[in-house]
Amino acid sequence: MAMLWKFMRVAKYSKTPLSPKVKVKGIPSYSRHSSSKSIPSDLAASTPCSNTVELLGGAYPQDDYSNVTEKILSKVGKNLHNKKHHPLWLIKEQVKDHFYKQYTGRRGTPVFSVYDNLSPVVTVQQNFDSLLIPQNHASRRKEDNYYLNRDHMLRAHTSAHQWDLIRSGLDAFLAVGDVYRRDTIDNTHYPVFHQMEGVRLFSCHELFSSVKDSEGLQLFERGHRTARKQECHTMEAVRLVEFNLKQVLTKLMTHLFGDGLQVRWVDCYFPFTHPSFEMEINFQGEWMEVLGCGVMEQQLVNS
């Protein structure tokens, strides 16, 4: 059973539902996030001929879906979140430091591993299909995404890497990166922004180990989907995962913004989590959304 959260949105983006978590054993280590390298923007992309785009070492034939522009290509490879002392880097390091200290295994090593140098070029399958996003879903539109061709695109969210990271065996990780959506530029929108998201998977023992008289409690059942749970999850399991999820994220926001923070939770919808929530914090007298999260669809985990 799994939970997912996503935060660190540098600019707001369109509300088209797109935003959204079970095991890599023995992988949490510092070596995975100590060698991030940025690619100079002038080397990141080129279009040597009218029907091919070369980007990050790959060549992508253009077709009727190709709509990425030279301006956007010039942004790929800047990796601002990995540039030391950049504001994005500072936020990322604060979050990493919090998770490294708060969540450790028996030997004192971090439970969560961090991936901050994954390629922003992904397949359509990674960006949509692997997340159970329907073929006719509005979030797939050319008007909302930057396609290299029918099969490849610039990721619209860091969730495009979820399936591959889980399949590799990971059960707790953070993914950070630049993401791209075709938004009109204004004071709250920009076509390039950054996200950071986390995934945590639970076994029956991990979830119920701290519960008194937990014998007999199960993760799964053959039930019915309701507004509060998926058909395959027991209510006891969902309540514990939801409590854990909200507690972890409230602690993180307190770490970032300080004590006395006002937080509220809003029910929402994402294609790959259920139930799903958005966290809002009170900033200068107004409620501001800072992240989306939820219990990962078990179908995604099973796949």
Side-chain angles (χ1 to χ4, degrees), residues 33 35-38 78-86 88-89 92-93 96 116-118 176 194:
H33 17 85
S35 59
S36 300
K37 296 181 180 179
S38 298
K78 287 186 177 294
N79 296 331
L80 300 180
H81 60 288
N82 287 333
K83 290 188 180 297
K84 197 170 183 180
H85 303 309
H86 189 281
L88 290 172
W89 179 87
K92 181 190 73 173
E93 292 302 310
K96 283 169 55 178
D116 58 8
N117 205 26
L118 300 168
V176 196
H194 292 73

Side-chain angles (χ1 to χ4, degrees), residues 28-303:
S29 69
Y30 292 95
S31 62
R32 292 188 171 272
H33 17 85
S34 60
S35 59
S36 300
K37 296 181 180 179
S38 298
I39 299 173
S41 59
D42 58 342
L43 299 178
S46 62
T47 52
C49 58
S50 60
N51 60 356
T52 303
V53 174
E54 292 188 4
L55 181 61
L56 303 180
Y60 303 93
Q62 297 190 59
D63 56 25
D64 59 323
Y65 253 65
S66 304
N67 64 359
V68 65
T69 65
E70 292 276 1
K71 183 68 173 179
I72 294 300
L73 288 175
S74 72
K75 306 291 186 182
V76 179
K78 287 186 177 294
N79 296 331
L80 300 180
H81 60 288
N82 287 333
K83 290 188 180 297
K84 197 170 183 180
H85 303 309
H86 189 281
L88 290 172
W89 179 87
L90 292 171
I91 296 173
K92 181 190 73 173
E93 292 302 310
Q94 280 191 302
V95 175
K96 283 169 55 178
D97 181 67
H98 173 75
F99 275 89
Y100 285 168
K101 291 178 179 178
Q102 291 291 318
Y103 308 100
T104 58
R106 293 180 180 178
R107 298 181 180 180
T109 56
V111 170
F112 286 83
S113 51
V114 179
Y115 298 85
D116 58 8
N117 205 26
L118 300 168
S119 173
V121 178
V122 298
T123 64
V124 172
Q125 194 278 336
Q126 287 174 301
N127 200 79
F128 296 121
D129 299 336
S130 71
L131 296 169
L132 311 178
I133 297 174
Q135 290 288 335
N136 60 350
H137 198 275
S139 63
R140 292 177 178 255
R141 297 184 307 173
K142 289 174 61 176
E143 292 79 8
D144 292 337
N145 300 282
Y146 288 105
Y147 285 92
L148 298 174
N149 53 38
R150 280 184 171 271
D151 299 320
H152 295 86
M153 62 186 297
L154 297 179
R155 63 186 169 208
H157 46 190
T158 49
S159 301
H161 304 290
Q162 255 182 50
W163 193 91
D164 294 310
L165 291 172
I166 293 174
R167 185 172 183 266
S168 72
L170 290 169
D171 59 1
F173 59 85
L174 303 177
V176 196
D178 45 329
V179 296
Y180 302 80
R181 296 191 192 169
R182 294 186 67 185
D183 279 335
T184 301
I185 299 174
D186 58 27
N187 63 342
T188 58
H189 293 79
Y190 194 73
V192 185
F193 56 102
H194 292 73
Q195 288 183 336
M196 188 173 196
E197 73 177 66
V199 170
R200 178 72 189 272
L201 305 180
F202 293 97
S203 66
C204 191
H205 171 73
E206 288 170 328
L207 190 59
F208 296 123
S209 60
S210 61
V211 178
K212 186 178 180 181
D213 300 324
S214 62
E215 185 176 351
L217 294 179
Q218 299 293 325
L219 292 178
F220 304 109
E221 67 176 7
R222 292 184 177 179
H224 301 282
R225 177 172 290 241
T226 69
R228 303 313 310 166
K229 75 177 199 72
Q230 298 172 39
E231 57 272 26
C232 58
H233 292 159
T234 65
M235 183 56 72
E236 294 81 7
V238 172
R239 284 175 175 170
L240 276 175
V241 169
E242 180 180 332
F243 174 80
N244 185 290
L245 174 64
K246 291 180 177 179
Q247 184 182 56
V248 166
L249 295 175
T250 300
K251 284 183 177 180
L252 173 62
M253 290 301 127
T254 300
H255 171 72
L256 292 176
F257 298 111
D259 295 328
L261 189 69
Q262 288 183 278
V263 171
R264 72 180 184 186
W265 296 94
V266 179
D267 292 340
C268 63
Y269 164 78
F270 302 124
F272 31 81
T273 57
H274 182 77
S276 304
F277 316 97
E278 288 179 343
M279 174 195 268
E280 296 180 350
I281 63 173
N282 194 287
F283 178 68
Q284 296 182 349
E286 295 186 4
W287 289 101
M288 179 176 67
E289 177 201 342
V290 291
L291 62 87
C293 62
V295 179
M296 182 181 285
E297 286 283 354
Q298 192 63 37
Q299 182 185 343
L300 191 159
V301 178
N302 294 344
S303 72

Side-chain angles (χ1 to χ4, degrees), residues 14-27:
S14 65
K15 292 304 237 181
T16 303
L18 217 174
S19 351
K21 296 191 134 264
V22 255
K23 229 164 182 191
V24 169
K25 298 179 181 177
I27 290 190

